[in-house]
């Protein structure tokens, strides 16, 4: 069997144009195969599985990008690459169920554009994705922002890769709908969305009518010049059609309590499936949240201050606390484009705990809940044998402000190491290997 070096020599010395273009394919096949067969053993001092509790002194054996074995008596093969995390904490990478980060330019201006696709705007070199790795985030549902009407289609990505194809995670993103409106325009926004969905419903009804008429004419011996019905759904409306036919899911932004009833009325009227993306001011209407098919996503600040118009007394409100008290599951987002602590998952989770939410619920808001919401909980969001080896190695407890993400593995491959982070090296004055 030829070695990689001999194959390189063979192809490079050949004058055959056929062999010349075959060389990259052969080389890629060999290197991909080698990467796929790499075995990694992570020896962890503490493991938060998010599936079966907490474990100590555990070894995770990773083969072909998945967790092959996990336990205290796992035999490590001689050829395995070993990562010593015996003094660290290992847990699944975080999952963001809804984020507008990582795009060259999010659609915030064009209103009714369901045909737009996020994959055409995702920027693999975005600092947002670098920040995701730095914070232990391994899966992101990138979807258009909230200041639109029907804003386009989202997609699932991992925050690493040279191309969008490299970053793509199997799964289906949602279609963005929004009830956001400028002050005084809430009723107009709801009317616009209803009108847009009505137009799609009428378009489908007209298509089905023409199809039925063709079938009837064909059965009666007419339409001899046509073998099949040649009518088509308008491709610019197809994503909205899929939504009304329940083959896709809407991520419907609800900015405040006043629009919550309207959001649920739209769902009942048009019958589409929706994840509600809730702004912080929805806390006033949380009692009306019922019959939810999916967990909700919290967007924006977790805490808001309100002033009583009579007493002028200021009080702090927390939507997550109200959802928690009512047993409504929720997923968290991180504030993109900000330099404050709100962009850190540990800060978001600590804010929940400060408002009375228990630790397990806080951790699940970034792991199992968003993974289930996106339909990828069989792959990510928790650590178990057979699942993708998407894990982060932390220097301490995930809810401590003194804890850092040391290493991130996605599909078993090490994609981030803190001591090799060029941005941190620059900030801390370690710009070269010799400076360490």
């Amino acid at each position: 069997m030829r070695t990689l070096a001999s194959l390189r020599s063979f192809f490079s010395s050949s004058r055959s144009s056929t062999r010349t273009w075959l060389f990259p394919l052969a080389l890629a096949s060999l290197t991909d195969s080698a990467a796929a067969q790499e075995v990694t053993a992570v020896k962890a001092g503490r493991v938060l599985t998010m599936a079966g509790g907490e474990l100590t002194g555990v070894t995770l054996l990773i083969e072909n990008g998945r967790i092959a074995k996990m336990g205290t008596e796992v035999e490590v093969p001689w050829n395995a690459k070993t990562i010593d995390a015996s003094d660290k904490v290992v847990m699944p990478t975080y999952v963001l169920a809804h984020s507008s980060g990582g795009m060259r330019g999010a659609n915030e201006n064009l209103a009714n554009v369901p045909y737009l696709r996020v994959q055409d705007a995702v920027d693999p070199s975005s600092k947002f994705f670098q920040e995701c790795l730095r914070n232990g985030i391994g899966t992101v549902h990138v979807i258009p922002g909230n200041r639109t009407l029907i804003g386009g289609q989202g997609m699932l990505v991992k925050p690493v890769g040279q191309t969008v194809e490299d970053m793509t995670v199997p799964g289906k993103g949602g279609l963005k709908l929004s009830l956001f409106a400028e002050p005084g325009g809430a009723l107009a926004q709801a009317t616009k969305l209803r009108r847009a969905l009505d137009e799609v419903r009428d378009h489908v009804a007209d298509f089905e009518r023409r199809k039925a008429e063709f079938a009837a004419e064909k059965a009666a011996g007419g339409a001899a010049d046509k073998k099949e019905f040649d009518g088509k759904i308008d491709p610019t409306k197809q994503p909205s059609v899929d939504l009304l036919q329940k083959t896709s899911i809407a991520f419907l932004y609800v900015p405040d309590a006043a629009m919550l009833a309207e959001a649920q009325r739209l769902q009942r009227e048009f019958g589409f499936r929706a994840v509600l993306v809730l702004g912080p001011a929805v806390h006033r209407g949380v009692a009306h949240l019922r019959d939810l098919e999916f967990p909700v996503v919290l967007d924006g600040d977790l805490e808001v201050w309100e002033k009583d118009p009579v007493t002028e007394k200021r009080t702090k409100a927390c939507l997550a606390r109200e959802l928690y008290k009512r047993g409504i599951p929720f997923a968290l987002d991180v504030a993109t484009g900000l330099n404050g602590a709100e962009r850190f998952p540990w800060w978001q989770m600590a804010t929940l705990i400060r408002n009375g939410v228990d630790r397990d619920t806080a951790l699940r808001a970034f792991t199992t809940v968003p993974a289930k919401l996106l339909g990828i909980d069989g792959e990510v969001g928790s650590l178990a044998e057979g699942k993708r080896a998407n894990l982060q190695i932390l220097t301490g407890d995930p809810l401590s402000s003194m804890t850092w993400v040391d290493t991130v593995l996605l599909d078993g491959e090490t994609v981030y190491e803190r001591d090799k982070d060029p941005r941190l090296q620059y900030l801390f004055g370690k710009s070269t290997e010799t400076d360490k």
Side-chain angles (χ1 to χ4, degrees), residues 129-135 404-406 415-433 436:
F129 295 124
Q130 299 171 25
E131 191 75 359
C132 282
L133 291 177
R134 220 169 267 128
N135 288 289
W404 297 99
V405 175
D406 184 77
V415 296
Y416 175 80
E417 293 175 282
R418 179 175 169 77
D419 62 359
K420 296 179 182 178
D421 187 326
R423 181 173 176 82
L424 296 183
Q425 289 179 352
Y426 174 79
L427 290 174
F428 298 143
K430 295 181 179 181
S431 57
T432 65
E433 290 292 326
K436 293 181 181 179

Side-chain angles (χ1 to χ4, degrees), residues 216-230:
E217 186 178 357
K218 195 76 172 175
D225 58 328
K226 293 184 179 180
K227 293 183 179 181
E228 296 180 354
F229 176 63
D230 58 2

Side-chain angles (χ1 to χ4, degrees), residues 8 41 91 94 209 286 411 419:
R8 183 182 289 110
M91 67 177 294
Y94 298 132
R209 176 187 58 76
V286 71
D411 293 326
D419 62 359

Side-chain angles (χ1 to χ4, degrees), residues 217-296:
E217 186 178 357
K218 195 76 172 175
D225 58 328
K226 293 184 179 180
K227 293 183 179 181
E228 296 180 354
F229 176 63
D230 58 2
K232 295 180 180 179
I233 293 289
D234 183 345
T236 66
K237 291 183 170 61
Q238 188 63 57
S240 296
V241 172
D242 293 341
L243 180 65
L244 297 190
Q245 293 179 343
K246 298 184 178 182
T247 59
S248 67
I249 301 172
F251 276 68
L252 175 56
Y253 179 62
V254 184
D256 51 46
M259 299 303 289
L260 184 58
E262 187 62 34
Q264 296 187 311
R265 190 156 39 242
L266 284 167
Q267 280 186 263
R268 290 193 297 270
E269 182 178 343
F270 292 95
F272 59 85
R273 306 165 69 206
V275 173
L276 298 182
V277 182
L278 305 180
V282 173
H283 71 277
R284 295 179 178 177
V286 71
H288 300 291
L289 278 172
R290 57 176 67 93
D291 301 325
L292 295 174
E293 184 178 358
F294 302 97
V296 299

Side-chain angles (χ1 to χ4, degrees), residues 81-364:
K81 170 188 172 183
T82 301
I83 298 177
D84 183 9
S86 56
D87 59 343
K88 296 180 175 65
V89 177
V90 176
M91 67 177 294
T93 51
Y94 298 132
V95 179
L96 295 188
H98 172 274
S99 177
S100 59
M103 288 186 276
R104 295 184 183 89
N107 169 36
E108 298 285 350
N109 300 313
L110 301 176
N112 188 7
V113 285
Y115 51 86
L116 290 184
R117 303 180 305 170
V118 156
Q119 67 192 72
D120 296 324
V122 169
D123 179 8
S125 65
S126 170
K127 292 181 180 178
F128 168 76
F129 295 124
Q130 299 171 25
E131 191 75 359
C132 282
L133 291 177
R134 220 169 267 128
N135 288 289
I137 297 168
T139 309
V140 185
H141 178 211
V142 181
I143 191 165
N146 297 328
R147 296 173 179 263
T148 180
L149 189 71
I150 303 180
Q153 308 159 63
M155 70 177 298
L156 305 181
V157 302
K158 56 184 178 181
V160 64
Q162 295 186 352
T163 66
V164 176
E165 288 72 21
D166 291 339
M167 301 173 70
T168 301
V169 171
K172 190 173 183 180
L175 179 67
K176 188 58 176 284
L177 274 61
S178 177
L179 286 169
F180 171 84
E182 299 296 339
L187 181 60
Q189 182 76 354
T191 301
K192 289 177 185 176
L193 185 52
R194 179 172 279 102
R195 187 179 297 130
L197 294 174
D198 263 330
E199 183 181 334
V200 174
R201 189 161 59 182
D202 290 345
H203 180 72
V204 173
D206 180 65
F207 171 82
E208 295 296 341
R209 176 187 58 76
R210 290 186 287 113
K211 187 176 181 180
E213 288 176 352
F214 175 83
E217 186 178 357
K218 195 76 172 175
D225 58 328
K226 293 184 179 180
K227 293 183 179 181
E228 296 180 354
F229 176 63
D230 58 2
K232 295 180 180 179
I233 293 289
D234 183 345
T236 66
K237 291 183 170 61
Q238 188 63 57
S240 296
V241 172
D242 293 341
L243 180 65
L244 297 190
Q245 293 179 343
K246 298 184 178 182
T247 59
S248 67
I249 301 172
F251 276 68
L252 175 56
Y253 179 62
V254 184
D256 51 46
M259 299 303 289
L260 184 58
E262 187 62 34
Q264 296 187 311
R265 190 156 39 242
L266 284 167
Q267 280 186 263
R268 290 193 297 270
E269 182 178 343
F270 292 95
F272 59 85
R273 306 165 69 206
V275 173
L276 298 182
V277 182
L278 305 180
V282 173
H283 71 277
R284 295 179 178 177
V286 71
H288 300 291
L289 278 172
R290 57 176 67 93
D291 301 325
L292 295 174
E293 184 178 358
F294 302 97
V296 299
V297 178
L298 305 190
D299 184 78
D301 295 333
L302 294 177
E303 297 173 316
V304 293
W305 288 93
E306 296 183 319
K307 184 169 70 173
D308 188 290
V310 178
T311 65
E312 295 191 351
K313 181 180 179 180
R314 297 177 76 244
T315 56
K316 184 173 63 176
C318 178
L319 173 58
R321 176 177 59 208
E322 301 305 317
L323 296 172
Y324 173 69
K325 285 171 17 181
R326 289 166 175 79
I328 299 174
F330 57 85
L332 293 178
D333 194 0
V334 291
T336 57
L338 297 179
N339 293 321
E342 296 86 354
R343 75 183 193 277
F344 299 123
W346 67 262
W347 174 272
Q348 300 281 50
M349 293 185 287
T351 301
L352 295 184
I353 293 173
R354 183 169 65 245
N355 283 277
V357 177
D358 70 52
R359 175 187 172 88
D360 187 62
T361 299
L363 287 168
R364 290 184 182 281

Side-chain angles (χ1 to χ4, degrees), residues 357-386:
V357 177
D358 70 52
R359 175 187 172 88
D360 187 62
T361 299
L363 287 168
R364 290 184 182 281
F366 270 123
T367 53
T368 56
V369 173
K372 185 174 183 179
L373 187 156
L374 295 170
I376 54 176
D377 52 313
E379 295 285 301
V380 300
S382 60
L383 301 181
E385 292 181 1

